[in-house]
């Protein structure tokens, strides 16, 4: 029953996609041109509190998942796996990704990071093993505020909170916040698909 609900190929896609997602986050943070609102918030809280990226990632995820769960959006294995795997991987990757000083180098790293994070998100969604902590609250309050506006509000709010805590916010932030959805939508059909198990 567990194997049927969580087939190994789907679990592998989940974990690999989370690692790819983490690499994209680390590259965006290393470029210092701006990241998505959620990552900016986590990075800002990391800088402000001095906690590890893993601790911040899991703490915020638990808060967001708890809010969504209280509103009836149940977590699944992916909901719990994503913040742990991404948090640990980003923490390990931040010291080793490039932190270029030249503007051209920073934009090259940003473009690579943006592409990589989109691939990671598309794979995570294709695994279909639970919503991420970012989407949970937006889905939970969809009856009050349409998802697209709730998700955008969360992204913008995350950017503002992260920026106020010392995280980098730049032109790249706007590119990620408004561009990540359309790019991920284009990539999702390229990912593996499963019929209903």
């Amino acid at each position: 029953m567990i194997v049927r609900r969580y087939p190994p190929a789907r679990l592998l896609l989940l974990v690999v996609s989370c690692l790819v997602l983490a690499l994209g986050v680390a590259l965006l943070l290393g470029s210092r041109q701006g990241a998505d609102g959620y990552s900016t918030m986590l990075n800002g809280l990391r800088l402000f509190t001095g906690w590890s990226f893993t601790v911040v990632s899991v703490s915020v995820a638990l808060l967001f998942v708890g809010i969504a769960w209280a509103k009836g959006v149940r977590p699944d294995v992916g909901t719990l796996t994503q913040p742990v795997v991404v948090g640990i991987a980003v923490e390990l990757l931040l010291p080793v990704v490039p932190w270029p000083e030249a503007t051209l180098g920073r934009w090259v790293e940003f473009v690579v990071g943006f592409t990589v994070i989109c691939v990671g998100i598309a794979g995570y969604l294709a695994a279909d093993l639970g919503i991420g902590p970012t989407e949970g609250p937006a889905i939970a309050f969809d009856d009050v505020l349409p998802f697209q506006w709730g998700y955008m509000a969360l992204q913008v709010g995350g950017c503002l909170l992260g920026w106020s805590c010392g995280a980098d916010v730049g032109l790249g932030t706007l590119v990620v916040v408004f561009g990540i959805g359309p790019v991920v939508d284009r990539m999702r059909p390229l990912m593996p698909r499963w019929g209903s198990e």
Side-chain angles (χ1 to χ4, degrees):
M1 183 67 179
I2 292 178
V3 173
R4 184 173 178 175
R5 175 68 184 91
Y6 303 119
R10 187 176 267 183
L11 290 172
L12 179 62
L13 177 62
L14 169 67
V15 174
V16 170
S17 297
C18 286
L19 292 173
V20 172
L21 173 57
L23 176 60
V25 170
L27 289 170
L28 288 178
L29 294 176
S31 76
R32 302 184 307 286
Q33 298 296 93
D36 64 286
Y38 190 74
S39 299
T40 301
M41 176 178 60
L42 296 182
N43 191 41
L45 291 172
R46 176 186 70 89
L47 295 170
F48 182 76
T49 63
W51 297 349
S52 69
F53 197 94
T54 304
V55 171
V56 173
S57 176
V58 172
S59 300
V60 173
L62 287 174
L63 174 64
F64 281 19
V65 169
I67 292 171
W69 201 348
K71 288 280 290 179
V73 180
R74 295 185 62 185
D76 202 344
V77 64
T79 312
L80 306 175
T81 301
Q82 194 235 50
V84 175
V85 173
V86 172
I88 292 172
V90 169
E91 188 174 342
L92 295 173
L93 287 167
L94 279 177
V96 298
V97 296
W99 290 74
E101 292 300 326
T103 302
L104 177 59
R106 291 169 71 171
W107 276 111
V108 168
E109 185 173 13
F110 172 84
V111 171
V112 173
F114 177 76
T115 305
V116 170
I117 200 173
C118 288
V119 172
I121 293 172
Y124 173 83
L125 294 174
D128 193 25
L129 290 174
I131 59 166
T134 322
E135 297 85 10
I139 291 174
F141 290 95
D142 189 47
D143 56 337
V144 178
L145 188 67
F147 174 80
Q148 60 179 345
W149 297 110
Y151 188 77
M152 188 178 297
L154 189 143
Q155 290 286 336
V156 172
C159 284
L160 293 175
L161 177 58
W163 175 71
S164 69
C165 291
D168 292 300
V169 173
L171 177 60
T173 306
L174 296 177
V175 174
V176 177
V177 168
F178 294 104
I180 203 165
V183 174
V184 168
D185 277 345
R186 291 292 184 92
M187 290 182 171
R188 288 180 71 179
L190 305 177
M191 296 293 164
R193 297 184 183 185
W194 281 270
S196 56
E197 260 79 49

